[in-house]
Every structure is written in structure tokens, then in C-alpha cells.
């Protein structure tokens, strides 16, 4: 059995909690030994526990440049803007949450380990640096129950990858449930993929793999604008016949030269699933809308089903011609495919369009 710290040694290890000790009796000697619970935990796991510190900021200051995992077992408040360096991994455990105060920003440049539940609260801003590649709407409070309006939570998961101040690869927002949204999900100025875990039929709980519109008519469900290498994949999009969105997905290039390049839509089903939805009517004005006036080309569309839209595909941008469509089915729309420029594709299938 290794030697344990005596009281003096424990005090030297961590002055902040020097008054807190656990008495441990060794079996080989009658002498009692002292060890600080927080340091005993750290010695065994390599972790720090936020309970050992006054605040998250003080923990980060104490850790410094050392590689460390900081466990957060309860709610902690960030009352002033704070950056978590890349050498610190945040581990939210138990009921751990981080509440960011209004007007403040928490920038996380290191990895994060968190369950699929709300871990960020408050009205402040959370930003992800280069070591976080995937964001979950549930981290920001999404219910994913096919009823609650989850737009705000999904938008926060998207915007966490925007204006972070550090270089990072494109982020992925993982949609693992059935999300109802009452307003547009906007990807702009950053590279983000909205990715589901399936694009087939799943209307019964636990809901998965779709986003359903519950808002008013006239705006898109998803809009991607002024960014490169963003897209939607492996997801089902459900509209609303009584208040049709202007599009399931709008790709817009308006203000910046080459404002929407190398973006994509792949493995996406748009509209009702051949009678499996209660709302088995025309659900969108357009399945995919390509809008704007400046260069928005070199985009790809791969394995897409578009069912029961007023217009399946509506290309309104004359500068969006260098794009490729592969394995596209458009059915039961008023107009299948409308374009002001040319398009290239393989494996087209049109059925029942008027």
C-alpha cells in the first residue's frame, strides 16, 4: 500500500482546502494519516472537481497550462466572460450545468464531455473552439419531443460555432430526435452541418431523425447563406400544409462574392412520407429554393426525396449553375423542377407532378 499524506503534507498540496481532511487509519501502523478528499480524488483519476474551487474562473486560473479534466457536478454561474483553454476538458456530470449570465460569453476551446441533456443555461452566449466538433441541441435545452418549439436551442447549437475567435473545422449539429420549430434555423457566416440519425419513417416516440415546422407561413424551415461547406444530411423535414414555409431548405447567396460554395444537401426527405404523416398534403412552397444573385455554385445535392411541394426545386439564382444533382426523386408537386439556369445531374426521377 502506498504511503498516505500526513496532515502537514496535505496542507502543502492544496492550501485552498487545507482545513478539510479525511482521517484514514493504516493497517500496518497505529499512526493516523491525513489526506485531503479533493487531492485524493485527483491522485486517483487525474481530475479536478469544481467543488474544490470558489468558481469556474478560479479553477481555470489554478489549473493554468496543465492538462486537466475539470468535473462539474452541480450548477455553476459564469458572471463575467471567460475562456476555457484548450488544455482543459470540461466534464459535466450528475446535475452539472453552466449558467452564463446575460451579456457574457463562455468560450470553450478544449473538449467537453456531457450527457444528452441541458448543460448550458442562462441568457449569455456559449462559443465552441476547435476541439469541439459536435454540438447537441439538448445541451441548450431542446426537448426533442415533436411538440415543444426547439428552434432557440437548435439555433444556439448552430451559433456556438460562429465567431469563436479561433480557427476550427466545420461543426456538426447532431439532431437525434424529433424537433418541432416555429421559426427559421439559420446558418450564416460559419460552416455547419445539420445532421440527423435517419431520414425514414419515425412518427412514434421516441422521435428521431426529423425536424417539423410549427410556425407561420412564408419563411424557410432551414436557410443557409453567405458561408462555405455547410449543409443538411441524413434528415427528414416535415412542413405544414395550413401554413407552408417558403422552402424546406433555402440556399441563398446575396451579398458576398462566392457567398455559398461547396455546400450540400444529401440523404434528405422533404414532405410527407407517402401517407405516413397525418398532414398528407402539400407542406412547402418549395422543397429546395436556391435564391440570391451572386455566385452560389459548386454545390451538391445527393439522394434527395421531395414529395408534395408547390415546386420541388426552384432555382432562382442565375449564378448557381455549377452544381450537381445525383439520385433525386420529385413527386406529386405542382412543378417538379424550375430553374433560370442550367443544372447537371444523374438518376432523376419525376412522378405525379402536374
Amino acid at each position: 500500500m502506498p504511503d498516505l499524506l500526513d496532515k502537514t503534507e496535505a496542507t502543502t498540496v492544496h492550501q485552498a482546502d487545507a482545513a478539510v481532511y479525511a482521517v484514514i487509519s493504516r493497517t500496518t501502523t497505529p499512526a493516523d494519516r491525513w489526506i485531503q478528499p479533493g487531492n485524493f480524488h485527483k491522485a486517483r483519476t487525474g481530475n479536478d472537481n469544481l467543488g474544490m474551487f470558489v468558481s469556474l474562473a478560479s479553477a481555470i486560473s489554478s489549473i493554468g497550462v496543465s492538462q486537466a479534466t475539470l468535473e462539474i457536478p452541480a450548477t455553476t454561474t459564469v458572471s463575467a466572460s471567460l475562456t476555457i483553454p484548450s488544455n482543459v476538458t470540461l466534464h459535466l456530470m450528475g446535475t452539472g450545468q453552466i449558467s452564463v449570465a446575460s451579456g457574457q460569453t463562455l468560450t470553450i476551446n478544449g473538449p467537453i464531455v456531457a450527457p444528452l441533456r441541458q448543460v448550458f443555461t442562462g441568457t449569455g452566449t456559449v462559443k465552441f473552439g476547435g476541439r469541439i466538433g459536435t454540438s447537441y441541441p439538448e445541451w441548450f435545452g431542446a426537448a426533442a419531443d415533436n411538440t415543444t418549439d426547439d428552434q432557440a436551442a437548435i439555433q444556439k447549437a448552430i451559433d456556438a460555432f460562429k465567431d469563436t475567435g479561433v480557427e476550427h473545422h466545420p461543426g456538426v449539429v447532431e439532431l437525434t430526435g424529433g424537433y418541432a420549430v416555429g421559426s427559421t434555423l439559420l446558418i450564416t457566416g460559419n460552416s455547419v452541418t445539420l445532421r440527423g440519425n435517419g431520414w425514414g419513417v419515425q412518427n412514434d416516440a421516441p422521435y428521431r431523425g426529423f425536424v417539423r415546422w410549427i410556425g407561420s407561413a412564408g419563411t424557410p424551415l432551414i436557410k443557409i447563406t453567405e458561408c462555405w461547406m455547410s449543409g443538411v444530411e441524413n434528415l427528414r423535414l416535415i412542413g405544414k400544409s395550413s401554413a407552408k414555409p417558403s422552402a424546406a431548405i433555402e440556399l441563398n447567396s446575396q451579398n458576398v462574392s462566392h457567398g455559398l460554395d461547396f455546400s450540400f444537401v444529401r440523404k434528405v426527405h422533404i414532405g410527407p412520407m407517402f401517407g405516413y404523416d397525418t398532414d398528407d398534403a402539400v407542406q412547402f412552397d418549395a422543397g429546395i429554393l436556391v435564391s440570391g444573385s451572386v455566385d452560389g455554385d459548386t454545390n451538391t445535392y445527393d439522394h434527395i426525396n421531395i414529395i408534395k411541394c408547390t415546386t420541388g426545386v426552384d432555382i432562382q439564382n442565375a449564378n448557381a449553375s455549377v452544381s450537381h444533382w445525383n439520385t433525386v426523386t420529385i413527386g406529386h408537386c405542382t412543378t417538379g423542377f424550375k430553374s433560370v439556369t442550367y443544372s447537371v445531374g444523374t438518376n432523376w426521377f419525376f412522378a405525379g407532378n402536374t
Side-chain angles (χ1 to χ4, degrees):
M1 179 176 178
D3 290 337
L4 300 176
L5 301 178
D6 61 27
K7 184 172 182 178
T8 301
E9 291 167 335
T11 304
T12 302
V13 170
H14 205 301
Q15 293 292 337
D17 289 326
V20 183
Y21 300 98
V23 180
I24 301 176
S25 296
R26 298 181 62 181
T27 57
T28 55
T29 70
D32 288 338
R33 298 301 188 199
W34 297 77
I35 189 166
Q36 191 178 12
N39 288 319
F40 184 55
H41 174 78
K42 182 175 180 179
R44 294 182 59 196
T45 68
N47 296 355
D48 275 320
N49 191 289
L50 190 59
M52 297 167 55
F53 302 92
V54 175
S55 65
L56 182 58
S58 65
I60 297 305
S61 176
S62 176
I63 291 170
V65 298
S66 301
Q67 291 291 328
T69 294
L70 180 61
E71 295 178 342
I72 302 177
T75 299
T76 183
T77 299
V78 174
S79 55
S81 294
L82 176 67
T83 296
I84 310 297
S86 59
N87 58 288
V88 176
T89 297
L90 293 182
H91 182 190
L92 289 109
M93 53 193 297
T95 60
Q97 291 183 323
I98 301 176
S99 178
V100 184
S102 176
Q104 307 306 312
T105 299
L106 173 66
T107 302
I108 305 174
N109 288 333
I112 181 172
V113 179
L116 199 64
R117 60 162 175 82
Q118 186 165 14
V119 295
F120 299 112
T121 63
T123 57
T125 302
V126 176
K127 297 292 184 183
F128 293 154
R131 297 198 177 187
I132 300 178
T134 302
S135 179
Y136 297 89
E138 287 82 355
W139 285 355
F140 299 89
D145 60 3
N146 191 26
T147 301
T148 305
D149 188 347
D150 286 330
Q151 189 279 339
I154 300 174
Q155 193 64 55
K156 287 180 180 179
I158 294 170
D159 291 343
F161 293 108
K162 184 179 180 181
D163 300 330
T164 62
V166 295
E167 293 184 10
H168 61 79
H169 53 281
V172 174
V173 175
E174 199 79 32
L175 302 170
T176 62
Y179 303 84
V181 298
S183 53
T184 300
L185 300 174
L186 179 64
I187 300 173
T188 181
N190 56 343
S191 296
V192 168
T193 298
L194 294 179
R195 184 172 66 196
N197 58 2
W199 58 314
V201 177
Q202 182 67 33
N203 292 322
D204 54 334
Y207 306 106
R208 55 189 292 154
F210 66 81
V211 178
R212 184 173 67 87
W213 182 257
I214 59 172
S216 302
T219 56
L221 193 161
I222 297 170
K223 185 174 182 178
I224 304 172
T225 181
E226 313 302 351
C227 56
W228 285 26
M229 301 175 186
S230 293
V232 182
E233 66 179 6
N234 209 31
L235 191 63
R236 182 176 168 211
L237 303 177
I238 303 172
K240 183 180 177 183
S241 63
S242 62
K244 293 188 290 292
S246 58
I249 303 172
E250 179 179 354
L251 297 103
N252 173 268
S253 183
Q254 189 63 49
N255 299 317
V256 182
S257 180
H258 296 284
L260 188 72
D261 286 354
F262 304 104
S263 291
F264 56 88
V265 179
R266 54 184 176 232
K267 291 186 178 179
V268 171
H269 181 97
I270 295 171
M273 183 69 81
F274 299 106
Y276 286 96
D277 292 323
T278 302
D279 187 4
D280 188 21
V282 174
Q283 295 183 349
F284 296 97
D285 285 336
I288 295 176
L289 172 63
V290 181
S291 63
S293 58
V294 300
D295 282 354
D297 49 30
T298 57
N299 301 308
T300 57
Y301 307 86
D302 185 28
H303 285 80
I304 301 169
N305 293 338
I306 301 175
I307 305 298
K308 291 191 175 180
C309 298
T310 304
T311 304
V313 174
D314 188 355
I315 302 178
Q316 300 177 357
N317 186 350
N319 290 298
S321 57
V322 188
S323 296
H324 189 272
W325 301 75
N326 174 48
T327 310
V328 179
T329 298
I330 301 175
H332 304 284
C333 298
T334 304
T335 300
F337 196 104
K338 182 171 69 173
S339 180
V340 298
T341 186
Y342 68 87
S343 290
V344 177
T346 55
N347 297 328
W348 298 82
F349 182 73
F350 297 90
N353 304 295
T354 58

